[in-house]
Amino acid sequence: MHQGGCHCGAVRYETSSLPERHSVCCCTDCRRTAGAPMVAWAIYPKDAVKETQGAPKSRASSEHAERFFCADCGTGLFYVSEAYLPGKIDVASASLDEPDLIGAPQAIVQTAERIAWAAGIHALPAFSRFPGMD
């Protein structure tokens, strides 16, 4: 079982299994709702994810999908689409308390919509903190 939640702590959840798949999505909807070049998602059967505190707010992000987020701090938490993922729920894996415990993503999806510079982001210089603070 893994636990997670939003940035402010108003919404908490737990999972009862390991995810079926862990992927990074580059689609425009994910990018715009997260304000980030990509979002990592861990997919579970719907009944394997339970809210334990608070209740996320939801909104339709397209005609086929609903996104759930904390109404207080805005953290994106879940994605549901019966059209594309029937009976499943995607959990934003970075919202897990210990995301490393579910393992690394196995795929990058929706690369047709990826920001061009994101394809080579792994080749940039890396710093453990801010440059000059290492």
Side-chain angles (χ1 to χ4, degrees):
M1 182 182 325
H2 298 100
Q3 298 179 344
C6 66
H7 185 257
C8 74
V11 178
R12 299 285 302 158
Y13 65 88
E14 64 185 22
T15 68
S16 61
S17 67
L18 286 173
E20 296 175 2
R21 185 177 64 241
H22 189 196
S23 303
V24 175
C25 185
C26 300
C27 81
T28 302
D29 282 347
C30 282
R31 290 189 290 111
R32 291 203 172 148
T33 59
M38 57 198 74
V39 177
W41 294 104
I43 190 166
Y44 295 86
K46 273 188 184 176
D47 62 0
V49 178
K50 182 176 113 179
E51 295 159 16
T52 58
Q53 178 178 301
K57 186 173 179 178
S58 69
R59 71 175 288 279
S61 59
S62 71
E63 67 179 285
H64 300 292
E66 190 172 11
R67 291 177 187 267
F68 295 80
F69 58 95
C70 174
D72 293 334
C73 68
T75 300
L77 298 167
F78 312 120
Y79 171 91
V80 174
S81 174
E82 286 301 317
Y84 301 120
L85 305 168
K88 309 291 182 185
I89 184 169
D90 259 341
V91 172
S93 61
S95 72
L96 287 163
D97 293 344
E98 298 181 79
D100 285 332
L101 294 180
I102 66 166
Q106 296 98 5
I108 301 173
V109 299
Q110 300 283 22
T111 58
E113 297 179 29
R114 177 171 52 197
I115 298 171
W117 54 258
I121 203 164
H122 63 281
L124 293 173
F127 303 89
S128 61
R129 299 286 179 211
F130 293 104
M133 295 182 73
D134 281 341

